[in-house]
Amino acid sequence: MSQSAFSRFLSKPFQWLRFSLGRFARLQENTDSRLTDGDIIALDDTKIEHPHGKKIPFLCWLFDSSDKCNVWCINLVSTLAVLKNGLEYPMLWRFWVKTGQENEKQTKLDLAKQMLAEVRQLNKARLWIAMDRWFLCKKFLNWLTGQNFDWVTKAKRNTALFKKIYDPVLGKERCIKLNPKQLLREVYSQLRVLGKESVLSIPDIYIKMPYETLTRKGKPITRQRFLPIAAIAATYEKQAVEGSIVLPEEECPATFKDAYLLISNRVDTPEEAATAYAKRWRIEVFYRTAKQNLGLTSCYAQSETAHFAHVELLFTAKTLLCYASWECNKEGAEQAPSLCEVIRYFFNAGCRIRCCEQLIQVYFDTATQRFSRLIDKFWPHSLELRLWDWENYPETA
């Protein structure tokens, strides 16, 4: 596997992000890979350590929570599609650039909006956005709702929640403020009765969301209103705790003993929201596979263009791998190979091309027979080739 070596040949500027969008558009043309109502888009970012470049604009010092140290790296923000039929594939991606100029600053939320807006141009289905607590921003959540996305994320420790109670003195309902840890403490006994790996929907929970309006004099103003949300308590394995990593207060997860809290805009389907968040872990598996098996961290080029080529080629390779593995695991198919076998067979499959009297014949070896359905679906049925016109050129050409 040497995508990094291949990307070095692609050193000239090219619109790789447009290529990425074309790859996603091609997947939306196929019935099996098209996103439909209820499918999930996992949103996350990862750090790619790269000590070999100093002048690449998207390289910067960032804290890596897994290694518990600062690393000189690339911050990659990406999305992963998880379909109900079991197929999953990487979608769009962006490099986060750290800059001191205010007019050029783009947060990871801005990059996420760009990618999801491009998804909306090609697909209008009602989709889930499953993300970790870093992306919990009220303006971003409002934007997702406005784009007909459903969202689910884990609550932070300082997330302000409200609960409606009846006040006998006032004779009406009023909202009291509480934090997620207090809410988990109240329902923890009920959650333990349900057993391990269970979820509990907590009713009548609200959150303040900003909205834009006008004053009586016509001036724009931002106000707050209470919106109902789905609050879901769930349990986790204690081995999965972040351990001794020290995080800022606003980034710490809301936990009580072995319970955590999920929040979502879908008050009507809290169980579906919990299931969607569980699928968010697939993007973490994707990052691990990309780094360990596909060489995401093995690009040592010092040019910006080579890194764009490297990442998009890797995402394209992973898309083909995901589709090939899904085809081999379909009911009635032959014995499904492991991921390493798919990588070895798929990318190292030999072929011979023979050109005889302007007829091109392609011969694949026996290993590629496993992926015949994949080739049949994505290989063009006809190729229009413009052959060299030797009559208009001298023989020495």
Side-chain angles (χ1 to χ4, degrees):
M1 302 304 298
S2 58
Q3 285 93 341
S4 60
F6 185 38
S7 64
R8 294 187 185 192
F9 291 97
L10 305 171
S11 57
K12 292 184 178 180
F14 184 73
Q15 297 180 355
W16 286 108
L17 295 181
R18 185 177 177 182
F19 184 93
S20 176
L21 185 61
R23 171 174 53 84
F24 175 71
R26 177 66 182 87
L27 291 167
Q28 301 314 298
E29 298 173 1
N30 192 343
T31 305
D32 292 334
S33 57
R34 183 186 301 119
L35 290 168
T36 57
D37 290 345
D39 287 338
I40 302 160
I41 298 178
L43 172 64
D44 203 359
D45 68 305
T46 188
K47 298 174 181 64
I48 307 171
E49 190 171 358
H50 185 75
H52 309 282
K54 298 298 180 183
K55 296 183 179 180
I56 301 177
F58 41 77
L59 277 171
C60 59
W61 286 101
L62 293 173
F63 180 77
D64 190 348
S65 58
S66 59
D67 295 334
K68 304 178 185 178
C69 64
N70 292 321
V71 294
W72 183 251
C73 62
I74 301 171
N75 197 3
L76 176 68
V77 185
S78 67
T79 51
L80 179 80
V82 183
L83 280 62
K84 295 187 294 292
N85 60 8
L87 176 63
E88 58 184 64
Y89 54 83
M91 296 169 54
L92 308 177
W93 56 273
R94 292 291 190 278
F95 287 143
W96 179 72
V97 180
K98 186 177 182 180
T99 177
Q101 300 182 10
E102 292 294 332
N103 59 341
E104 296 181 0
K105 278 188 176 181
Q106 282 189 316
T107 66
K108 289 187 284 186
L109 296 175
D110 296 328
L111 300 179
K113 287 182 180 180
Q114 291 178 11
M115 293 185 289
L116 296 176
E118 292 177 348
V119 171
R120 269 291 167 252
Q121 294 176 5
L122 298 170
N123 192 295
K124 303 298 182 182
R126 188 170 185 178
L127 306 170
W128 282 98
I129 305 298
M131 51 197 172
D132 64 8
R133 61 185 180 276
W134 191 96
F135 292 90
L136 203 169
C137 172
K138 292 183 179 180
K139 291 184 178 180
F140 181 58
L141 300 182
N142 274 336
W143 184 88
L144 289 175
T145 306
Q147 295 292 321
N148 197 30
F149 287 114
D150 295 325
W151 54 266
V152 58
T153 184
K154 187 181 290 186
K156 298 179 183 178
R157 187 178 299 178
N158 64 341
T159 303
L161 301 176
F162 298 86
K163 186 177 183 180
K164 278 190 175 182
I165 63 170
Y166 179 77
D167 192 333
V169 178
L170 298 176
K172 61 179 182 179
E173 288 185 339
R174 66 182 182 92
C175 290
I176 60 170
K177 185 178 180 180
L178 72 166
N179 59 48
K181 189 172 183 179
Q182 292 173 330
L183 191 60
L184 289 172
R185 186 184 292 111
E186 291 180 4
V187 302
Y188 186 75
S189 58
Q190 304 176 38
L191 188 63
R192 295 302 298 173
V193 171
L194 297 176
K196 294 182 179 181
E197 298 182 359
S198 57
V199 295
L200 175 65
S201 177
I202 309 172
D204 300 327
I205 302 298
Y206 295 78
I207 190 172
K208 274 187 178 181
M209 298 293 283
Y211 70 100
E212 303 295 330
T213 185
L214 299 175
T215 62
R216 294 180 179 179
K217 296 183 179 180
K219 294 182 178 180
I221 188 175
T222 301
R223 298 186 184 276
Q224 303 284 335
R225 60 184 171 190
F226 291 104
L227 287 180
I229 61 169
I232 307 127
T235 57
Y236 62 88
E237 295 293 336
K238 291 189 176 182
Q239 291 81 356
V241 184
E242 291 175 339
S244 58
I245 301 175
V246 179
L247 296 173
E249 177 67 22
E250 63 272 12
E251 297 184 13
C252 293
T255 59
F256 177 75
K257 295 184 178 180
D258 60 343
Y260 63 91
L261 187 70
L262 300 176
I263 57 175
S264 171
N265 66 311
R266 292 296 301 273
V267 185
D268 54 332
T269 58
E271 294 81 8
E272 187 177 347
T275 303
Y277 185 81
K279 299 291 181 64
R280 190 203 69 84
W281 186 253
R282 300 305 306 166
I283 195 170
E284 303 287 357
V285 177
F286 160 66
Y287 285 144
R288 183 184 63 189
T289 303
K291 292 178 180 180
Q292 294 181 356
N293 300 100
L294 297 179
L296 180 60
T297 58
S298 301
C299 182
Y300 304 131
Q302 299 186 23
S303 68
E304 181 179 356
T305 304
H307 282 279
F308 275 91
H310 174 68
V311 173
E312 178 50 33
L313 288 174
L314 187 144
F315 271 56
T316 302
K318 180 58 177 175
T319 302
L320 295 173
L321 279 174
C322 290
Y323 202 98
S325 299
W326 179 74
E327 280 282 351
C328 290
N329 280 279
K330 289 175 69 174
E331 185 177 358
E334 65 272 11
Q335 185 178 1
S338 64
L339 176 64
C340 293
E341 289 177 331
V342 174
I343 294 174
R344 183 170 65 253
Y345 292 151
F346 193 77
F347 289 109
N348 295 336
C351 65
R352 292 179 291 112
I353 301 177
R354 181 183 178 186
C355 183
C356 180
E357 297 180 356
Q358 297 186 356
L359 178 64
I360 297 177
Q361 299 175 338
V362 182
Y363 301 90
F364 292 99
D365 63 2
T366 55
T368 317
Q369 291 180 0
R370 286 178 174 268
F371 312 107
S372 57
R373 290 188 301 274
L374 175 68
I375 296 172
D376 181 61
K377 288 187 176 182
F378 288 100
W379 191 275
H381 295 287
S382 61
L383 291 175
E384 183 179 349
L385 301 178
R386 183 175 298 176
L387 299 179
W388 191 271
D389 189 359
W390 292 101
E391 296 180 358
N392 296 330
Y393 293 89
E395 293 184 1
T396 54

